[in-house]
């Protein structure tokens, strides 16, 4: 008769010694495979004397089940252990600082945008967007710039030949459907938006007042020199409700400029101006000094123009379906590169878009320094 106890000890030890999935598999085959020791032992029950078969068969079967269960348990333990060791081997310490030579920098435009959003976000503004490829209506007509208006010439507009290019594959690029143009659509004049002001129109058309938005984004004009690039960025602001007046406009922009330039007593001058979509309109200058050819913001008696603004023209409200006898508001627009150049002392606008890594390392910002009003805006 077989000594089942010593067999059980032997196989239990072999199972325990198997230190990988492959080793355990080999043990399984030797014990329980078609020609495995336990399998053959069970088969040989048939050779026993008739009266022994039943009892011995039950014992050998119990041994087989025990060995199978032990293999199963070992397999589970091994998978866990393998996973643990893989996890330990793959472990990386994400708290380590980035290697300095690999650390990317945020472009000054990104940084300035984040600062603008942080400041206006704190004042309760939310961010709105519109398409870069605009139609004539949103870019001009709805802003009270009818066809033949001289302001259209001043914008150096890039016209988009919609009929020849069809619709862009990405509908977000112009805020509409994609696919081929419908008949009639090809009659619409499309332009690369010359300013972010059309986002005012889209916001007023899609949302009932009260409205309080800023709309940062790319803008385009056919112009290129030290202070102009064909693509640049603007941020638009719009507030519409039943009570907002010019005093709120002045307070809002004063707070913004003081926070952005980090000069608590920065002087601002609101100079009467003209924009077709605001009445009255103003341009805002900030106090500066140009002594010795060096520009200092917030000191001296000189002035530097930084943005345009005004009370939303009643015609613009009406065209967007907002009752101008009940609602009023203010709007403003400024160039992002311009205020970035002023704050960070960047002399040439064109360098923003040259993609020169040395420039980016010099003028760029660390990615983890997220600007907030409480935590500080820049380095
Ligand atoms: N859209 C104007 C431009 O590009 C800037 C501007 C002026 C925007 C006055 C406004 C505003 O919203 O009220 O020159």
């Amino acid at each position: 008769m077989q000594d089942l106890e010593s067999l059980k000890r032997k196989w239990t030890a072999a199972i325990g010694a198997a230190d990988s999935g492959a080793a355990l598999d080999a043990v399984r085959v030797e014990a329980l495979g078609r020609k495995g020791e336990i399998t053959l032992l069970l088969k040989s029950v048939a050779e026993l004397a008739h009266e022994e078969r039943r009892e011995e068969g039950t014992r050998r079967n119990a041994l087989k089940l025990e060995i199978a269960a032990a293999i199963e348990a070992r397999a589970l333990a091994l998978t866990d252990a393998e996973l643990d060791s893989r996890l330990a081997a793959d472990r990386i310490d994400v708290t380590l600082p980035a290697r300095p030579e690999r650390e990317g920098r945020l472009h000054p435009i990104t940084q300035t945008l984040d600062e603008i959003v942080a400041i206006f976000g704190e004042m309760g503004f939310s961010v709105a967007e519109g398409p870069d490829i605009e139609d004539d209506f949103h870019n001009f007509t709805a802003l009270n710039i009818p066809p033949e208006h001289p302001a259209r010439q001043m914008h150096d507009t890039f016209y988009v030949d919609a009929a020849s290019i069809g619709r862009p594959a990405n509908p977000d690029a112009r805020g509409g459907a994609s696919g081929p143009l419908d008949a009639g659509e090809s009659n619409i004049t499309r332009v690369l938006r010359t300013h972010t002001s059309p986002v005012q129109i889209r916001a007023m058309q899609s949302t009932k007042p009260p409205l309080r938005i800023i709309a940062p984004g790319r803008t385009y004009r056919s112009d290129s020199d030290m202070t102009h690039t064909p693509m640049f960025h603007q941020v638009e602001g719009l507030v519409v409700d039943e009570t907002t007046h010019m005093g709120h406009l002045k307070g809002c922009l004063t707070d913004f400029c003081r926070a952005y330039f980090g000069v608590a007593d920065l002087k601002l001058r609101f100079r009467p101006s003209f924009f077709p979509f605001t009445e009255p309109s103003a341009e805002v200058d900030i106090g500066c000094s140009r002594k010795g050819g060096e520009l200092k913001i917030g000191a001296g008696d000189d002035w530097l123009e930084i943005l345009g603004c005004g009370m939303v023209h009643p015609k613009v409200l009406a065209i967007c379906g907002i009752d101008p006898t009940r609602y009023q508001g203010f709007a403003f627009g400024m160039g992002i590169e311009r205020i970035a150049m002023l704050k960070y002392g960047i002399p040439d606008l064109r360098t923003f878009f040259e993609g020169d890594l040395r420039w980016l390392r010099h003028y760029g910002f660390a990615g983890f320094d997220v600007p907030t009003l409480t935590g500080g805006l820049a380095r």
Side-chain angles (χ1 to χ4, degrees):
M1 199 181 306
Q2 273 285 344
D3 179 359
L4 295 190
E5 265 315 304
S6 69
L7 260 185
K8 179 177 161 183
R9 268 198 305 277
K10 172 185 150 187
W11 286 111
T12 310
I15 291 165
D19 57 1
S20 70
L24 184 64
D25 239 29
V27 174
R28 187 204 315 274
V29 172
E30 278 176 55
L32 302 177
R34 232 159 27 88
K35 299 217 165 88
E37 187 175 15
I38 309 284
T39 310
L40 295 181
L41 185 67
L42 260 171
K43 278 190 181 156
S44 65
V45 170
E47 295 154 17
L48 295 178
H50 189 73
E51 56 281 10
E52 276 182 288
R53 273 187 212 164
R54 198 189 151 100
E55 195 185 335
E56 187 59 15
T58 310
R59 287 177 61 219
R60 292 183 189 185
N61 199 46
L63 173 65
K64 178 194 153 177
L65 292 177
E66 255 181 283
I67 300 291
I71 291 176
E72 193 96 336
R74 181 73 186 145
L76 266 181
L78 279 176
T79 339
D80 279 356
E82 272 168 24
L83 186 63
D84 284 349
S85 75
R86 235 195 6 258
L87 284 176
D90 289 353
R91 198 179 122 88
I92 46 165
D93 185 350
V94 292
T95 64
L96 283 174
R99 286 169 40 193
E101 72 279 14
R102 295 230 184 130
E103 197 183 325
R105 308 293 284 171
L106 294 184
H107 196 283
I109 293 289
T110 307
Q111 170 73 20
T112 305
L113 257 172
D114 289 349
E115 294 177 28
I116 292 170
V117 170
I119 299 169
F120 283 110
E122 198 76 16
M123 296 186 199
F125 285 74
S126 50
V127 173
E129 288 185 312
D132 287 19
I133 300 176
E134 253 310 354
D135 51 55
D136 184 89
F137 175 77
H138 290 91
N139 196 78
F140 293 121
T141 312
L143 287 160
N144 197 29
I145 313 175
E148 313 309 328
H149 193 285
R152 290 203 178 198
Q153 263 91 63
M154 282 158 52
H155 279 214
D156 302 308
T157 311
F158 282 116
Y159 287 87
V160 179
D161 188 352
S164 69
I165 61 163
R167 279 174 171 157
N170 169 13
D172 291 342
R174 54 162 287 252
S178 62
L181 294 172
D182 301 333
E185 263 195 309
S186 54
N187 299 331
I188 298 172
T189 304
R190 289 180 203 285
V191 300
L192 294 183
R193 66 178 176 193
T194 56
H195 48 179
T196 43
S197 302
V199 187
Q200 286 187 34
I201 303 300
R202 291 185 179 275
M204 287 190 276
Q205 283 176 327
S206 65
T207 315
K208 283 196 167 49
L211 262 163
R212 190 177 285 208
I213 56 135
I214 55 168
R218 291 191 165 134
T219 48
Y220 307 82
R221 290 184 198 182
S222 179
D223 207 352
S224 183
D225 58 34
M226 263 282 274
T227 51
H228 297 90
T229 48
M231 189 280 296
F232 57 105
H233 297 76
Q234 286 190 341
V235 59
E236 196 77 14
L238 175 70
V239 173
V240 180
D241 60 27
E242 295 184 41
T243 53
T244 290
H245 54 67
M246 193 92 184
H248 296 125
L249 164 64
K250 290 180 80 172
C252 172
L253 291 175
T254 303
D255 281 355
F256 167 76
C257 291
R258 289 179 173 171
Y260 175 76
F261 289 106
V263 179
D265 56 355
L266 182 65
K267 280 189 297 183
L268 272 79
R269 179 170 80 171
F270 288 74
R271 194 166 26 79
S273 183
F274 173 80
F275 299 102
F277 35 89
T278 44
E279 182 56 38
S281 303
E283 275 172 313
V284 175
D285 302 336
I286 52 174
C288 70
S289 136
R290 292 189 174 88
K291 265 202 202 107
E294 199 200 336
L295 179 73
K296 263 215 190 94
I297 288 165
D301 306 316
D302 247 346
W303 295 103
L304 180 75
E305 181 196 322
I306 62 155
L307 63 91
C309 60
M311 300 304 294
V312 181
H313 198 295
K315 275 190 177 174
V316 175
L317 292 171
I319 215 166
C320 297
I322 294 176
D323 179 1
T325 63
R326 180 168 167 205
Y327 293 103
Q328 57 192 20
F330 66 77
F332 58 87
M334 67 189 132
I336 293 179
E337 284 81 357
R338 182 166 168 77
I339 64 167
M341 287 165 83
L342 291 172
K343 181 165 174 182
Y344 296 114
I346 305 172
D348 187 333
L349 173 63
R350 291 167 298 192
T351 57
F352 275 79
F353 308 115
E354 281 171 353
D356 185 330
L357 273 179
R358 292 164 304 176
W359 184 89
L360 192 57
R361 274 186 205 115
H362 182 78
Y363 288 112
F365 293 82
F368 294 119
D369 296 343
V370 178
T372 63
L373 275 189
T374 43
L377 288 180
R379 285 182 283 206

